[in-house]
Amino acid sequence: MKAKMTVNKAFIISKIDPRIYGSFLEHMGRAVYTGIYEPGHKTADKNGFREDVKALVKELNVPIIRYPGGNFLSGYNWEDGVGEIGSRPKRLDLAWKTVETNEVGLHEFMNWANEVGSEVNMAVNLGTRGVDAARNIVEYCNHLGGTYWSDMRRKNGAESPFKIKTWCLGNEMDGPWQIGSKTADEYGRIAAEAAKVMKWVDPDIELVVCGSSGIGMSTFASWEATVLEHTYDHVDYLSLHSYYGNQKNDIKNYLAMSVGMDRFIKSVVAICDYIKAKKRSDKTINLSFDEWNIWYHSNEKDSKNEPWQQSPPILEDIYNFEDALLLGCLLITLLKNCDRVKIACLAQLVNVIAPIMTAEGGVAWRQTTFFPFMQAALNGHETVLRHNIDVPVYDCDDFKEVPYVEAVTIHNHEKNEIIVFAVNRCAEETVDFTVELQGFNISNIIEFSEICGYDVKQTNTKESCPVAPKAAQNAKIDGNQLIAKINPLSWNMIRVGL
């Protein structure tokens, strides 16, 4: 099979916002407790946070982490997580039917995020709380001092403000599973008022308003339009959430799901631009795809959990090789839409549908999905180039005319190189893949790595990590063309020097 992708130096999609490689940590399952935080673990630091997990998070190069939820957010009182740890209340978390100890709260998480090199995308509760709590937490986090809440922060050990830039206005507020769920008008009004006063406290913050909980919701599209009618002048981003799974056990259909992600993004962009036109506005609302991942392996197991445990295992999907391939396709799709998707959060980071897993009292390890994300987050920076790709297509149950190769080309000006990410969706054929780089003087192949050759159900475990990138050899430069052979069912990264 042959595929040819043509790009031109002059034709770009957009500069990449590094926050497109963000992640998410919710107070649920073992994401926080025995995930990032485990006092008494042999690698624990003086504050109880696992150094082995910190090291893996740093490997992923995550620039921003959404916190503290998620469904947990809509019943969370942020004040429970500040002050003396021993005096913090234990609460029932109705979202996940567990007990929250509040040992890890705002200060602890901010310090941890700083240590792993990530900003925090803080979320405010618009389920059981509202405008007052929203303005208070911004004052607590971002005001210098001399007021009730900012002085409380200083008393609690943080003399300098946290300076949190990005804030989410609630979570999935159209979902009937959500504590305090609302109609679009109800949510739009409270989100607008919260946004207004939050920016009065700190005019430099950016705000993400909730889109509907997914494209399959009956509220989809009308929810986004109504919410933006209320909030357009006060917010900067609209959120999207979507999860993917191979319930049909059909790899052709599964690997085509990034086509659905692309359609979802373009639909939401159209809604944003409709409201922009309706309001005769010069302002453009961009997107925060602040929950995306693969989630289906753990559903049956989770249905058997006993309620009211502390940090029980929830949503602990063990990912396989085909999951890594789809995750690569989804990453490429986000990058191809980077003109409007400025923030994205892989949900989640540790233990809960996560690239990083831990054993309580034991080791931490990398799931199969860790590696495509890591390679993209480390290397996929600067400018995405527009492309035309000539490649055979296929039909499957849910999608038509799916290209066998999903690919994107990035020009990194600072490093003076071209980066190509590509997935071969075909299980049978190697693809003779040509990338014509018009307007570039290309000199050499810096790196060609691939993840391929595994059974589609192959997983990584705490004992061994077989599914990982390996060096590939079948690539060369011919004039202004990169020519490579990409193996059946493979994730590929090729870096070309200029």
Side-chain angles (χ1 to χ4, degrees), residues 85-102:
I85 291 176
S87 63
R88 295 177 188 175
K90 291 184 178 181
R91 303 278 193 193
L92 293 183
D93 169 29
L94 303 184
W96 301 108
K97 290 185 167 57
T98 60
V99 174
E100 171 57 48
T101 66
N102 287 303

Side-chain angles (χ1 to χ4, degrees), residues 17-284:
D17 189 320
R19 294 177 297 174
I20 206 168
Y21 302 117
S23 193
F24 176 33
L25 267 172
E26 181 172 0
H27 279 250
M28 66 174 294
R30 297 193 311 113
V32 175
Y33 305 108
T34 73
I36 65 170
Y37 176 79
E38 189 178 343
H41 190 273
K42 63 182 179 181
T43 71
D45 65 17
K46 64 181 181 179
N47 297 312
F49 289 92
R50 290 180 55 154
E51 294 283 7
D52 58 344
V53 174
K54 283 186 206 174
L56 292 180
V57 174
K58 289 177 184 177
E59 272 189 44
L60 279 180
N61 197 35
V62 177
I64 192 167
I65 300 172
R66 183 169 169 246
Y67 176 84
N71 296 346
F72 171 81
L73 173 69
S74 292
Y76 181 56
N77 301 324
W78 68 267
E79 302 92 336
D80 290 347
V82 301
E84 190 66 35
I85 291 176
S87 63
R88 295 177 188 175
K90 291 184 178 181
R91 303 278 193 193
L92 293 183
D93 169 29
L94 303 184
W96 301 108
K97 290 185 167 57
T98 60
V99 174
E100 171 57 48
T101 66
N102 287 303
E103 289 175 72
V104 173
L106 184 55
H107 287 253
E108 291 79 21
F109 188 77
M110 291 303 302
N111 291 338
W112 178 85
N114 183 61
E115 289 184 16
V116 298
S118 296
E119 295 181 17
V120 173
N121 179 2
M122 184 63 70
V124 298
N125 175 0
L126 294 184
T128 60
R129 308 293 294 278
V131 175
D132 202 41
R135 68 166 177 161
N136 291 345
I137 189 174
V138 177
E139 181 183 327
Y140 185 94
C141 291
N142 287 10
H143 195 68
L144 181 62
T147 65
Y148 178 82
W149 291 109
S150 60
D151 284 347
M152 183 184 290
R153 181 201 69 241
R154 296 166 70 187
K155 180 182 176 183
N156 288 333
E159 181 67 26
S160 299
F162 294 134
K163 297 182 179 179
I164 300 172
K165 179 181 180 180
T166 312
W167 297 76
C168 293
L169 299 168
N171 175 76
E172 295 185 356
M173 296 307 300
D174 63 336
W177 58 85
Q178 202 71 210
I179 302 170
S181 63
K182 293 171 171 57
T183 67
D185 281 309
E186 288 170 341
Y187 171 68
R189 285 291 300 125
I190 194 170
E193 291 303 308
K196 183 174 71 178
V197 298
M198 289 167 75
K199 285 195 171 182
W200 284 352
V201 175
D202 185 349
D204 294 329
I205 61 176
E206 293 185 328
L207 299 177
V208 182
V209 71
C210 289
S212 58
S213 304
I215 195 170
M217 297 288 291
S218 61
T219 50
F220 175 68
S222 62
W223 170 277
E224 278 81 356
T226 301
V227 167
L228 286 176
E229 288 270 14
H230 289 289
T231 63
Y232 200 92
D233 294 335
H234 303 293
V235 302
D236 306 282
Y237 306 95
L238 179 69
S239 76
L240 297 80
H241 291 183
S242 191
Y243 294 95
Y244 306 90
N246 191 11
Q247 289 87 349
K248 295 181 179 180
N249 198 26
D250 177 348
I251 191 165
K252 279 195 168 184
N253 196 71
Y254 186 44
L255 295 185
M257 287 184 175
S258 56
V259 175
M261 176 191 252
D262 186 71
R263 292 175 185 170
F264 183 25
I265 291 169
K266 287 179 169 54
S267 295
V268 177
V269 166
I271 298 165
C272 292
D273 290 348
Y274 160 67
I275 300 300
K276 177 180 180 177
K278 187 175 181 182
K279 287 183 171 287
R280 283 78 166 172
S281 177
D282 293 330
K283 176 181 177 180
T284 297

Side-chain angles (χ1 to χ4, degrees), residues 211-493:
S212 58
S213 304
I215 195 170
M217 297 288 291
S218 61
T219 50
F220 175 68
S222 62
W223 170 277
E224 278 81 356
T226 301
V227 167
L228 286 176
E229 288 270 14
H230 289 289
T231 63
Y232 200 92
D233 294 335
H234 303 293
V235 302
D236 306 282
Y237 306 95
L238 179 69
S239 76
L240 297 80
H241 291 183
S242 191
Y243 294 95
Y244 306 90
N246 191 11
Q247 289 87 349
K248 295 181 179 180
N249 198 26
D250 177 348
I251 191 165
K252 279 195 168 184
N253 196 71
Y254 186 44
L255 295 185
M257 287 184 175
S258 56
V259 175
M261 176 191 252
D262 186 71
R263 292 175 185 170
F264 183 25
I265 291 169
K266 287 179 169 54
S267 295
V268 177
V269 166
I271 298 165
C272 292
D273 290 348
Y274 160 67
I275 300 300
K276 177 180 180 177
K278 187 175 181 182
K279 287 183 171 287
R280 283 78 166 172
S281 177
D282 293 330
K283 176 181 177 180
T284 297
I285 297 291
N286 287 315
L287 307 186
S288 173
F289 211 130
D290 53 38
E291 287 188 33
W292 71 275
N293 206 344
I294 295 153
W295 171 19
Y296 73 105
H297 295 286
S298 60
N299 293 351
E300 183 178 349
K301 181 180 178 182
D302 287 345
S303 67
K304 301 172 184 176
N305 275 340
E306 291 294 322
W308 314 127
Q309 301 177 66
Q310 290 185 20
S311 56
I314 300 175
L315 276 66
E316 296 201 2
D317 278 36
I318 300 301
Y319 293 122
N320 57 35
F321 173 50
E322 65 184 357
D323 296 329
L325 295 176
L326 177 62
L327 190 122
C329 291
L330 297 171
L331 278 166
I332 289 169
T333 300
L334 291 171
L335 288 166
K336 290 195 297 185
N337 288 280
C338 71
D339 57 329
R340 298 302 290 270
V341 179
K342 300 300 181 181
I343 304 170
C345 300
L346 181 71
Q348 294 187 21
L349 184 58
V350 182
N351 285 333
V352 175
I353 49 173
I356 299 169
M357 296 296 294
T358 71
E360 184 175 358
V363 299
W365 73 95
R366 304 165 186 83
Q367 293 234 59
T368 61
T369 56
F370 181 98
F371 297 101
F373 189 93
M374 177 193 71
Q375 289 191 321
L378 287 173
N379 298 286
H381 294 282
E382 295 286 344
T383 303
V384 176
L385 299 171
R386 296 193 179 278
H387 71 254
N388 180 69
I389 188 164
D390 182 12
V391 60
V393 298
Y394 69 89
D395 295 342
C396 56
D397 280 359
D398 296 330
F399 305 97
K400 305 298 181 186
E401 298 187 349
V402 180
Y404 273 107
V405 174
E406 185 72 85
V408 68
T409 303
I410 297 165
H411 179 199
N412 189 319
H413 305 75
E414 184 178 348
K415 292 186 176 180
N416 204 31
E417 65 184 48
I418 295 290
I419 303 95
V420 178
F421 298 121
V423 174
N424 181 0
R425 292 184 171 107
C426 183
E428 295 82 25
E429 293 187 46
T430 298
V431 173
D432 293 323
F433 184 46
T434 300
V435 184
E436 184 173 325
L437 296 162
Q438 297 176 354
F440 293 100
N441 293 317
I442 55 180
S443 62
N444 64 303
I445 294 172
I446 300 169
E447 181 183 4
F448 178 14
S449 73
E450 61 184 359
I451 305 176
C452 67
Y454 305 101
D455 184 280
V456 294
K457 306 302 182 185
Q458 175 69 60
T459 62
N460 291 345
T461 68
K462 62 183 178 182
E463 288 83 19
S464 66
C465 184
V467 181
K470 58 187 177 184
Q473 304 299 326
N474 293 323
K476 64 181 181 179
I477 302 298
D478 183 6
N480 72 337
Q481 292 187 336
L482 164 67
I483 301 171
K485 290 187 181 295
I486 55 177
N487 282 311
L489 294 181
S490 61
W491 157 266
N492 303 269
M493 180 184 73

